[in-house]
Amino acid sequence: MTTATLRVEPGLPLVGSLFEFRRDRLAFQMRVADSGITRARIGWRTLYVITDSELAHEVLVTHEDAFIKGPGLAVVARPLLGDGLLTAEKAPHRRARKLLAPAFTPKRMTGYAAVMAACATLHVDRVRPRAMFDIADAMMTTTLDIVGRTLFDADLAGDARAVGDALTVAMEYVLATVLSPLPMTWPTPQRKRGMAAVAQLDEIVLRVISERRAAGDADRGDVLSILLSARDDDGVGLTDRHIRDEIMTLMLAGHETTANLLAWTWYVLATVPAARARLDAELDAVLAGRPPTLDDLPRLPVTLAILEETLRLYPPAHTVAREAERDVVIGGVPIAKGAVVTVSVVAMQRRAAYFDDPLTFRLERFLGGDRKARRPGYLPFGAGPRVCIGNHFALVEAQLILAAWAQRFHFRLAQPAPVELEPLMTLRPKGGVWVEPVPR
């Protein structure tokens, strides 16, 4: 077991480090990153920031039974995510994971990949050469289309803007509530907007569930088919509300996170010409202009490495929060019941302790060697029993979209660099990524 040296932030009387944390919590985490573990007071709460790989492993794997989800997901995000996989604890979480496992088998992935490739081609066909646009927004639209077809076997094109806007408002509400000293039930204008956004999402998701129940529960090869046919041990099926919670969780995970990964990837490719040249050469050699398929992916290592290095610098799941359910010792540091422990994935993955020249994009970090070997300091999908169930889905989706779009266009950055990081529930590029598409 690692023995850590605890850094203690002095903070201000009464509020501790609340103001600095609210002003820029990523900057706060970066500032204390080299300490490995830092204790701070955020208002009335005790917060530990972990950026050490071994300590992160203790929290997420070795002593995972001592923790529950942090207050952001466990309490504040519940109106959005309900009791789905992301918020469920202990036995309900294990049950939900078992319930969803059939949705991510290799056979299902083959069907999903065909949908992903078709949607990627459909959306890149709509790009107008030389017409500046926000490619972050385009990735949201593309991944939402894929989510609609793979989760629901439904075309959500007409709801794309409504879903995207509602998710943004809901996530802004969740973040603001976590950092606010006010009770979460106070009827602030932001809470009213957040609840209205959740209601809008509910209307769309519950409408699709209702339509599918009315049409019968034949297996259409999507996730909703699995949830509609699932039965408890006593033979009772899932309620619409339970299905809604799982679908909402997968929608956020499968749409929002992948879209942000791709937005950051296009930003990287526009600012790192050498990586873009390597990508062009690989796509030309393997695909020669035809659309990518699932079978092509093993022969596209550069494409995958670009995504993995982007995940290192810009992980959508930038912070993993837990609350101590009982007293526990992490790295020799006693953590009291009720304390909040955050594993700062983005700060850890930018530490020189784990990566040479950590702020520089280096494609070679993820080329060659044993790909299955555990990389210290690299946790873009989490770890332990709560590791992201859809990590393979997300990477396949991202590779197919990247390959399909990069074959057709170079995207020149049409805004000043660097793009600012916006840490909502996921790590977004603030203001989007505006580009000019140049046909290849």
Side-chain angles (χ1 to χ4, degrees):
M1 182 180 72
T2 301
T3 301
T5 300
L6 177 68
R7 172 190 178 125
V8 179
E9 283 289 295
L12 299 172
L14 300 179
V15 297
S17 301
L18 175 63
F19 296 140
E20 181 186 1
F21 196 76
R22 289 190 66 188
R23 184 171 59 251
D24 192 338
R25 58 196 176 120
L26 285 189
F28 177 88
Q29 293 170 20
M30 300 293 187
R31 181 173 66 78
V32 303
D34 287 339
S35 300
I37 180 169
T38 298
R39 186 178 71 213
R41 193 160 48 85
I42 308 297
W44 57 273
R45 278 192 175 276
T46 299
L47 171 73
Y48 291 85
V49 177
I50 289 179
T51 56
D52 178 274
S53 176
E54 293 304 317
L55 300 185
H57 187 78
E58 287 190 40
V59 172
L60 301 178
V61 182
T62 310
H63 298 298
E64 61 86 20
D65 62 331
F67 296 94
I68 57 176
K69 282 284 187 176
L73 283 176
V75 180
V76 183
R78 196 165 293 277
L80 173 61
L81 301 177
D83 294 312
L85 184 66
L86 200 58
T87 54
E89 298 289 353
K90 312 299 180 183
H93 173 262
R94 291 191 291 271
R95 174 178 173 272
R97 198 171 180 96
K98 181 179 179 180
L99 182 74
L100 288 170
F104 298 99
T105 62
K107 181 179 178 180
R108 292 276 176 176
M109 278 304 308
T110 299
Y112 299 155
V115 172
M116 293 168 181
C119 286
T121 299
L122 175 68
H123 285 268
V124 76
D125 283 344
R126 298 172 180 171
V127 174
R128 291 184 297 145
R130 308 289 178 177
M132 186 175 70
F133 73 111
D134 179 7
I135 201 167
D137 184 68
M139 292 298 100
M140 287 287 183
T141 303
T142 304
T143 59
L144 181 62
D145 192 7
I146 290 170
V147 159
R149 296 174 192 276
T150 56
L151 293 188
F152 309 128
D153 187 33
D155 184 355
L156 293 183
D159 297 310
R161 174 58 59 187
V163 170
D165 290 347
L167 275 175
T168 298
V169 171
M171 288 191 296
E172 288 174 345
Y173 157 69
V174 169
L175 177 62
T177 305
V178 169
L179 299 178
S180 173
L182 300 175
M184 64 171 289
T185 55
W186 279 31
T188 63
Q190 187 164 45
R191 184 174 193 275
K192 292 179 180 178
R193 290 194 298 271
M195 292 298 96
V198 171
Q200 187 175 20
L201 291 168
D202 280 353
E203 189 278 326
I204 294 170
V205 173
L206 290 172
R207 183 192 74 215
V208 174
I209 295 171
S210 176
E211 290 171 353
R212 284 290 295 278
R213 282 203 190 276
D217 59 355
D219 189 346
R220 300 189 188 180
D222 62 351
V223 177
L224 185 52
S225 294
I226 292 173
L227 294 174
L228 288 170
S229 62
R231 296 292 181 269
D232 284 331
D233 292 339
D234 56 6
V236 177
L238 302 181
T239 65
D240 284 3
R241 191 68 194 181
H242 190 169
I243 294 175
R244 172 264 183 216
D245 292 348
E246 298 299 354
I247 289 294
M248 196 72 77
T249 299
L250 292 173
M251 182 186 293
L252 177 65
H255 154 57
E256 172 78 17
T257 57
T258 307
N260 285 323
L261 165 59
L262 285 163
W264 286 116
T265 301
W266 295 120
Y267 169 67
V268 165
L269 291 173
T271 54
V272 186
R276 177 71 223 213
R278 295 277 301 273
L279 177 62
D280 288 347
E282 178 175 89
L283 295 178
D284 290 346
V286 175
L287 301 179
R290 63 174 174 78
T293 68
L294 182 65
D295 291 338
D296 292 318
L297 298 189
R299 296 186 294 145
L300 297 175
V302 171
T303 306
L304 178 57
I306 286 171
L307 292 166
E308 290 181 314
E309 175 69 343
T310 303
L311 274 171
R312 184 186 69 81
L313 285 169
Y314 306 101
H318 55 89
T319 305
V320 178
R322 296 286 187 266
E323 181 177 340
E325 194 176 31
R326 57 176 171 80
D327 293 349
V328 63
V329 176
I330 299 297
V333 176
I335 309 289
K337 177 181 178 180
V340 175
V341 177
T342 63
V343 176
S344 179
V345 176
V346 64
M348 181 167 61
Q349 293 183 170
R350 290 175 171 221
R351 285 189 64 188
Y354 303 116
F355 300 96
D356 294 335
D357 196 11
L359 300 184
T360 299
F361 183 93
R362 286 188 177 173
L363 187 57
E364 294 75 17
R365 298 187 209 272
F366 294 92
L367 289 173
D370 183 0
R371 302 197 60 81
K372 294 183 179 180
R374 179 169 170 244
R375 297 185 182 94
Y378 187 71
L379 291 176
F381 295 107
R386 301 197 75 115
V387 66
C388 177
I389 194 173
N391 55 6
H392 182 56
F393 180 104
L395 282 176
V396 167
E397 179 183 17
Q399 288 175 83
L400 290 170
I401 295 173
L402 177 57
W405 282 55
Q407 280 198 109
R408 299 277 295 279
F409 294 99
H410 282 187
F411 297 101
R412 292 177 181 167
L413 196 63
Q415 67 187 84
V419 172
E420 187 177 345
L421 283 66
E422 184 177 26
L424 299 179
M425 286 179 70
T426 58
L427 190 63
R428 288 186 172 188
K430 190 171 185 178
V433 179
W434 289 84
V435 296
E436 177 192 356
V438 180
R440 289 194 60 205

